[in-house]
Amino acid sequence: MDLYHAREHLHSLTRSLEFMLLDRRDEWLAARLEDLDYGDIDGIEAAVREYPLEGVKKDEVEKELGYFLNNAPRMRYHWFRSRGLFAGSGVVEASCKSVIGQRLKQAGMHWTVSGADAIIALRCKEASSTWEAICNNPDTQTRSA
């Protein structure tokens, strides 16, 4: 789960609770953001459950809290970072735009699905620095008749 989008959900959750948080809103949000950075979804849930809600506000809070509870295994941001992994999708989205989009969306381009799939595979292999291994492997080449 993208950390940026998870933070958006946390801000939305805070807006749903701000009528109860009052002047502690910023402090509460900062603590929950820290929980999120460490993947402590149980901490976020415990902090939310301190405020008994009913009606529409309860539904709002349960919906946002459900986002965190359902995605908790994918929100181990501290663990991901400790292994040098990205916690956001920006790098992947930018790579898709530069590696794939720039080639497929040039003026006058018209692609079949199989043609687009083939060029995408080649562009990704080239970008991943495995071009030589692909080109020199006979199993990746079409056999002549």
Side-chain angles (χ1 to χ4, degrees):
M1 297 304 303
D2 180 63
L3 180 58
Y4 177 83
H5 292 105
R7 286 175 175 259
E8 284 182 330
H9 281 274
L10 194 53
H11 280 271
S12 178
L13 181 61
T14 304
R15 281 191 299 277
S16 295
L17 289 172
E18 66 187 348
F19 76 100
M20 295 191 82
L21 296 170
L22 302 172
D23 60 342
R24 296 175 319 210
R25 178 193 180 282
D26 293 339
E27 178 184 327
W28 190 89
L29 176 58
R32 301 303 70 81
L33 287 169
E34 187 173 341
D35 289 343
L36 184 60
D37 284 344
Y38 282 90
D40 185 9
I41 306 307
D42 292 337
I44 293 171
E45 181 183 18
V48 169
R49 300 277 184 221
E50 289 180 20
Y51 300 97
L53 299 169
E54 292 182 14
V56 174
K57 284 295 182 184
K58 181 178 182 176
D59 294 342
E60 286 176 14
V61 167
E62 290 298 327
K63 180 181 175 187
E64 291 298 341
L65 192 55
Y67 170 83
F68 292 100
L69 297 175
N70 292 332
N71 293 299
R74 292 180 286 280
M75 294 179 156
R76 296 170 296 151
Y77 302 117
H78 183 70
W79 184 86
F80 296 145
R81 285 187 184 130
S82 72
R83 282 148 183 81
L85 301 171
F86 293 103
S89 64
V91 173
V92 173
E93 291 172 13
S95 296
C96 288
K97 184 177 180 180
S98 65
V99 172
I100 297 169
Q102 284 180 352
R103 179 63 176 96
L104 295 181
K105 295 181 180 180
Q106 291 181 15
M109 294 282 172
H110 299 285
W111 295 92
T112 62
V113 172
S114 62
D117 285 345
I119 199 68
I120 288 169
L122 290 173
R123 299 273 296 177
C124 289
K125 293 297 181 185
E126 181 179 18
S128 68
S129 302
T130 58
W131 185 255
E132 290 299 320
I134 296 301
C135 290
N136 294 326
N137 184 349
D139 294 332
T140 63
Q141 314 219 353
T142 304
R143 304 215 188 311
S144 59

